[in-house]
Amino acid sequence: RVMHIDKCGLQNDRMTEILNFSQDYFRESGLPVFNLRTHQGDLRFLVLRKSFAHNNYMVNVVTFKSYQKELTEYTSQLKSRFSDIVSIINTVNPRLAQIAFGEEEYLLSGTSTLTEILGGFQFSISANSFFQTNPLQAENLYKTVVDYCDTGNEVIWDLYSGTGTIAMFLSSAADKVVGFELIDSAVEDARRNSGINNIKNCEYVAGDLRTNLTSRYDKPEVIVCDPPRAGMHEDVVAAILMKRPAKIIYVSCNPATMARDIKPMLSFYKIAEVQPVDMFPHTWHIETVVRLEPK
């Protein structure tokens, strides 16, 4: 099932134009839509991203298999109609899970990344890397995290570090920031972003957090966690408690999973402060920053 949207009040008119053109094009193209029950078909998601800093766009078509040839005409028409689209990507997700991420990424036109600016830092964002959907408010979110961490720390760990946004904001608060992230392309973005901004005290570790956290012998003063909506695996929570940092900063877009993850921490920590941040206007969703300190 595809829900038709003529206009989204949270997006600007240009994104609506790109969306409506794409819906019309694929409806008329006859290209098969992926069916969750039969697992037949190929078209899965259309992901649109905007750079607020440069007012340009990325279009990412997520398909069940490589669709470079089939998307040739779509790419050509997009380029001729929308001069401010600077990146067109085909991401391949061959798994049955209905998620807008993939294992393979093919550049159909333009650049492979968008460029955004937050807090004076420049970020290069690839199609499958997480980046806050509301960059203007994200700056307030990250400043809150920095305030909670305070300065003068030797080592800060940034879990689920994505493209390195929080790590880079924290770079002035510690001698060293170590970011942990599962998605390889996000880690590549983070390393590139640190280089672009001439930040030399951020390290990024790719791979499963459960393994990487327990295999390290250094002890952070602060651990910052910014997991996806599903929250953290219980093994990650256990690994954090093994390190017993002086502060834990939990950033969450899902208060329910955040409460679940924090509950076992309350044997050793207390909630010192909570700050909601309205990242998702006109919805009931809320981002929350929680500071925990030892009892």
Side-chain angles (χ1 to χ4, degrees):
R1 296 178 182 178
V2 178
M3 181 173 69
H4 180 76
I5 300 173
D6 289 312
K7 181 177 176 62
C8 173
L10 295 178
Q11 304 293 356
N12 66 6
D13 291 340
R14 194 59 159 176
M15 294 185 85
T16 299
E17 292 170 9
I18 297 170
L19 171 65
N20 287 336
F21 165 77
S22 299
Q23 288 185 140
D24 291 342
Y25 177 89
F26 288 117
R27 187 182 297 110
E28 295 171 4
S29 71
L31 296 172
V33 175
F34 182 75
N35 188 299
L36 279 173
R37 293 183 178 179
T38 65
H39 306 142
Q40 301 295 311
D42 299 307
L43 296 174
R44 305 195 72 165
F45 293 96
L46 178 72
V47 183
L48 306 181
R49 284 188 167 186
K50 175 187 176 181
S51 166
F52 285 81
H54 300 287
N55 202 33
N56 52 31
Y57 302 87
M58 172 186 283
V59 176
N60 178 20
V61 183
V62 183
T63 56
F64 187 70
K65 63 185 180 184
S66 175
Y67 240 48
Q68 298 175 78
K69 182 178 179 181
E70 290 85 349
L71 292 172
T72 301
E73 180 60 25
Y74 171 69
T75 300
S76 176
Q77 291 197 32
L78 268 185
K79 289 168 60 179
S80 65
R81 289 170 179 261
F82 305 101
S83 60
D84 43 4
I85 293 177
V86 296
S87 176
I88 305 174
I89 307 286
N90 174 210
T91 291
V92 180
N93 174 16
R95 300 184 181 184
L96 300 184
Q98 189 72 333
I99 55 176
F101 293 94
E103 299 174 355
E104 302 171 30
E105 188 178 307
Y106 299 100
L107 178 63
L108 303 180
S109 178
T111 61
S112 59
T113 61
L114 274 188
T115 302
E116 189 59 89
I117 297 175
L118 285 183
F121 298 113
Q122 182 172 306
F123 295 95
S124 179
I125 310 159
S126 58
N128 287 285
S129 297
F130 172 78
F131 198 82
Q132 290 287 356
T133 56
N134 186 345
L136 304 180
Q137 182 71 313
E139 193 165 327
N140 293 323
L141 175 69
Y142 297 148
K143 286 178 179 177
T144 301
V145 174
V146 173
D147 289 343
Y148 277 9
C149 288
D150 207 353
T151 57
N153 303 288
E154 291 185 12
V155 179
I156 296 178
W157 282 7
D158 176 22
L159 312 190
Y160 310 92
S161 54
T163 57
T165 47
I166 289 180
M168 289 169 57
F169 269 75
L170 290 173
S171 60
S172 61
D175 294 337
K176 182 178 182 180
V177 181
V178 184
F180 296 85
E181 171 59 46
L182 175 64
I183 300 173
D184 289 338
S185 63
V187 172
E188 292 173 9
D189 285 350
R191 290 169 178 162
R192 185 188 311 115
N193 290 332
S194 289
I196 291 171
N197 292 278
N198 197 31
I199 293 175
K200 303 184 185 301
N201 65 333
C202 288
E203 172 192 346
Y204 300 98
V205 180
D208 192 320
L209 269 68
R210 291 175 292 177
T211 304
N212 288 334
L213 294 182
T214 54
S215 64
R216 292 187 69 100
Y217 294 100
D218 51 338
K219 187 180 186 305
E221 281 74 34
V222 181
I223 294 181
V224 177
C225 322
D226 186 12
R229 289 190 60 78
M232 298 191 290
H233 191 281
E234 59 185 11
D235 291 347
V236 174
V237 175
I240 292 171
L241 291 176
M242 283 179 60
K243 293 295 180 180
R244 297 289 170 83
K247 289 180 185 176
I248 299 173
I249 314 298
Y250 196 124
V251 184
S252 175
C253 61
N254 187 343
T257 54
M258 178 186 67
R260 179 202 66 199
D261 294 343
I262 286 178
K263 186 176 181 180
M265 298 179 184
L266 297 181
S267 297
F268 309 98
Y269 290 86
K270 63 182 179 181
I271 296 175
E273 199 168 357
V274 179
Q275 177 62 61
V277 180
D278 188 6
M279 292 285 290
F280 316 103
H282 312 299
T283 77
W284 55 270
H285 295 283
I286 195 76
E287 196 93 11
T288 309
V289 187
V290 177
R291 177 167 58 88
L292 296 108
E293 296 182 350
K295 287 185 174 179

